[in-house]
Amino acid sequence: MRVEVTERCTGHGRCYSEVPGLFEDDEAGYGVVLGDGTFGAGDIEAARTAVHGCPENAVRIVP
Amino acid sequence: MTQQETERAMPTGVVLATEPMAHDRNRGWELLRQVGPVFQDDLGLYNVTTYEGVKFVQQNPKLFSSQRAFDDQGSVQQIPLAVDPPDHARYRRILDPVFAPREVNKMDVELRRQAAELVDAFAHRGHCDAMNDLAKLFPTQVFLTMFGLPLDDRDKCMEWVRTINAERVLGTDILSDSLVEASNALADYSRQFIRAKREAPGDDLLSRILAFEGEDEWTEDEMMGFVGSFINAGLDTVTSSLGFVFHYLATNPDVRRRVIEEPELVNPIIEEVLRLEPVGPRIPRVTTQDVEVCGYTIPANSMVLMCLGAANRDPERFPNPHEVDVEQANLGHLTFGGGIHRCLGSHLARREMRIVVEEFHRRIPEYELAPGAEPTIKWPAGVVTFETMPLVFPVPAAP
Ligand code: HEM
Ligand code: SF4
């Protein structure tokens, strides 16, 4: 599974502040996934935290 | 719009001034929430109170104009606050990198030094006024620092801003003489330093923006509009939020002691206080056409207010809506707005607050409200804030 930041992102920064293991900030303060966003079963809760925490519904988990 | 959709009767004439906001925001916002997802207040303005409703307004800037909502506030257009799409994106493309966390990191050391200096000025006294001795001073210093201006200008800037904010009345065009005078003085001051920086650039944010060329070059009026936005949106907001945080920490000593022992709790506690106390409690827009929100129709050309304090207590989103609960700190409150106008200064504001709380606690870990002090806010207001918050604390032993 993979996390994805969609074009709805407006740079609240909740994903990379709360889940630095899966996201980082770009130079404009918008969220980007680390690497290609792939994560293992152990990180599913972290990924969900990012999904629920994003006020723009910009974080998605894709299979 | 079909007839059917307009059938739900919208509550009207809701009187805001009598809400118990001054003392108890939980009760105040809950009462407003219970009026309904959308209601008309006694000034005829439309209020939206649910999390999803507020997000809908934020995320549809073509239906809900900021330009028309903010254009009564002086002659220069506030940039990017009062700009609608498509122009808005051009400004944010330039400004976002300047206010990104990476830039904020670079200022950390200097801002910490300044916060420490402010706290040191009263730490030996055994008492302070958290608003007047600290929370009001620091954000203005941050503004001056970022713009490469002398810290000596702090007090006069604060006075202009105080006058402007005190005399502005939401939803009306009334401009008092002293408001006009303060606005003009601030505008003259800004115009002067913009010109000075254009001629002799420094290593500051202003000079960085002025250095852009070609289609990214900003006119003097655009620069003025941005300075106006920063001053209007970036000073009182942090001051007031700091007030709410210190009030919470002063009145919840157990939490405060935990925060001091476990420094990683500082951020979640600040987030939760921000959620419960959005200092810009009702953010305005004007509808560009008839539009349906949560099943209610709002006519074209209406003033719509996003009630952030209500949305931030929406039980659909926050399981423990009325309490500071660090478990909820990552659930995405709306105190910094959302959509294209998401607070440009949110990363800076969060850092400012963390720095001030940490530097205060480093010097003054034990404190409480002075006996008899009962900080209250004025309501309704564009920015809600405590004006004063006397604290008392043990004086540290002389070194
Ligand atoms: C805790 C402190 C702060 C709070 C609660 C806050 C809140 C907000 C909110 C709710 C908005 C959205 C307004 C709207 O949708 O119309 C906003 C926008 C804005 N804020 Fe803040 N703010 C804070 C601090 C700051 C700081 C420190 C700055 C400094 C630069 C700043 C600059 C701005 C600007 C320029 C905008 C307009 C953004 C745009 O329209 O694209 N704010 N703020
Ligand atoms: S939390 Fe959402 S809006 Fe914020 S940076 Fe991450 S993806 Fe973007």
Side-chain angles (χ1 to χ4, degrees):
Chain A
M1 277 185 296
R2 213 156 57 68
V3 277
E4 196 176 80
V5 176
T6 71
E7 78 296 336
R8 301 178 66 101
C9 171
T10 63
H12 287 263
R14 303 326 294 150
C15 55
Y16 55 78
S17 305
E18 298 293 338
V19 191
L22 295 178
F23 303 87
E24 67 176 337
D25 54 322
D26 69 9
E27 77 288 343
Y30 285 55
V32 288
V33 297
L34 283 172
D36 66 357
T38 306
F39 62 90
D43 275 336
I44 183 73
E45 272 316 308
R48 289 206 184 111
T49 298
V51 171
H52 296 309
C54 174
E56 308 290 350
N57 302 349
V59 178
R60 279 205 309 227
I61 298 177
V62 286
Chain B
M1 283 310 119
T2 64
Q3 281 298 316
Q4 270 176 356
E5 284 167 334
T6 62
E7 264 178 14
R8 286 171 77 174
M10 187 185 304
T12 56
V14 176
V15 181
L16 290 168
T18 61
E19 301 300 332
M21 288 288 183
H23 299 278
D24 186 351
R25 259 82 58 206
N26 275 336
R27 213 159 75 77
W29 285 117
E30 190 56 28
L31 283 172
L32 287 183
R33 243 179 41 73
Q34 309 227 326
V35 175
V38 183
F39 65 81
Q40 243 183 318
D41 62 31
D42 47 347
L43 293 175
L45 313 180
Y46 292 81
N47 291 253
V48 180
T49 64
T50 62
Y51 192 89
E52 287 306 319
V54 167
K55 268 180 37 168
F56 177 76
V57 176
Q58 288 171 341
Q59 293 178 344
N60 287 283
K62 292 197 178 114
L63 301 177
F64 300 92
S65 165
S66 289
Q67 184 157 353
R68 294 182 52 196
F70 290 108
D71 71 2
D72 63 349
Q73 299 188 354
S75 51
V76 213
Q77 186 187 29
Q78 291 189 64
I79 290 173
L81 183 70
V83 184
D84 286 336
D87 296 347
H88 181 265
R90 171 172 168 258
Y91 296 116
R92 287 297 293 246
R93 188 160 45 78
I94 303 242
L95 290 171
D96 277 333
V98 179
F99 284 87
R102 295 177 187 194
E103 291 301 314
V104 175
N105 287 344
K106 293 184 195 160
M107 295 188 299
D108 194 278
V109 173
E110 169 60 16
L111 297 188
R112 255 178 216 286
R113 189 193 63 75
Q114 292 187 24
E117 195 174 83
L118 292 174
V119 178
D120 280 335
F122 54 71
H124 62 278
R125 250 179 18 206
H127 63 91
C128 73
D129 184 325
M131 304 312 293
N132 289 307
D133 296 337
L134 183 59
K136 290 187 190 173
L137 309 182
F138 186 66
T140 306
Q141 292 194 187
V142 173
F143 161 73
L144 293 168
T145 305
M146 285 189 82
F147 280 69
L149 298 168
L151 293 185
D152 288 345
D153 291 350
R154 182 188 74 193
D155 294 349
K156 73 177 176 196
C157 287
M158 282 177 50
E159 183 51 28
W160 291 325
V161 175
R162 196 197 58 75
T163 308
I164 294 169
N165 288 330
E167 312 224 348
R168 189 168 51 215
V169 185
L170 188 69
T172 73
D173 297 328
I174 304 165
L175 297 176
S176 73
D177 287 350
S178 45
L179 190 155
V180 172
E181 211 173 286
S183 301
N184 288 343
L186 185 55
D188 289 344
Y189 172 77
S190 308
R191 210 174 280 283
Q192 258 174 25
F193 71 66
I194 291 168
R195 287 184 184 161
K197 289 282 169 194
R198 219 189 261 286
E199 270 171 31
D203 175 27
D204 53 73
L205 162 138
L206 194 61
S207 304
R208 241 179 97 176
I209 298 174
L210 287 169
F212 284 102
E213 290 177 342
E215 66 163 315
D216 285 344
E217 186 172 331
W218 287 24
T219 65
E220 186 167 294
D221 276 350
E222 287 175 317
M223 284 307 307
M224 291 284 291
F226 170 60
V227 172
S229 249
F230 192 127
I231 290 177
N232 192 25
L235 305 187
D236 283 23
T237 46
V238 179
T239 297
S240 169
S241 302
L242 277 170
F244 288 118
V245 170
F246 277 112
H247 184 258
Y248 176 77
L249 292 168
T251 52
N252 291 273
D254 295 347
V255 180
R256 184 181 69 237
R257 283 167 204 143
R258 257 190 79 198
V259 167
I260 289 171
E261 269 164 37
E262 302 170 49
E264 67 281 3
L265 282 178
V266 172
N267 283 341
I269 291 286
I270 290 175
E271 285 308 311
E272 273 292 276
V273 176
L274 282 168
R275 176 178 70 80
L276 289 173
E277 303 281 12
V279 301
R282 299 193 306 151
I283 305 291
R285 295 288 188 267
V286 171
T287 49
T288 57
Q289 59 179 70
D290 289 3
V291 42
E292 197 192 306
V293 181
C294 305
Y296 298 87
T297 300
I298 301 179
N301 308 314
S302 307
M303 175 80 81
V304 175
L305 296 163
M306 295 178 262
C307 294
L308 301 186
N312 281 346
R313 286 172 172 80
D314 190 332
E316 303 265 321
R317 178 89 182 184
F318 302 97
N320 194 2
H322 299 297
E323 269 159 67
V324 169
D325 175 354
V326 294
E327 297 297 318
Q328 305 183 124
N330 54 21
L331 288 181
H333 63 72
L334 300 178
T335 293
F336 290 112
I340 61 169
H341 292 282
R342 186 269 306 162
C343 177
L344 176 68
S346 61
H347 308 296
L348 174 64
R350 286 179 160 120
R351 185 66 61 91
E352 285 185 50
M353 295 174 71
R354 188 170 115 200
I355 287 177
V356 170
V357 170
E358 287 176 350
E359 295 306 318
F360 192 94
H361 282 176
R362 214 187 291 284
R363 291 162 180 79
I364 307 172
E366 284 294 326
Y367 53 95
E368 58 189 15
L369 285 179
E374 203 184 315
T376 53
I377 63 163
K378 255 205 265 175
W379 172 265
V383 172
V384 293
T385 188
F386 298 133
E387 285 303 328
T388 137
M389 192 183 320
L391 299 177
V392 290
F393 44 85
V395 181

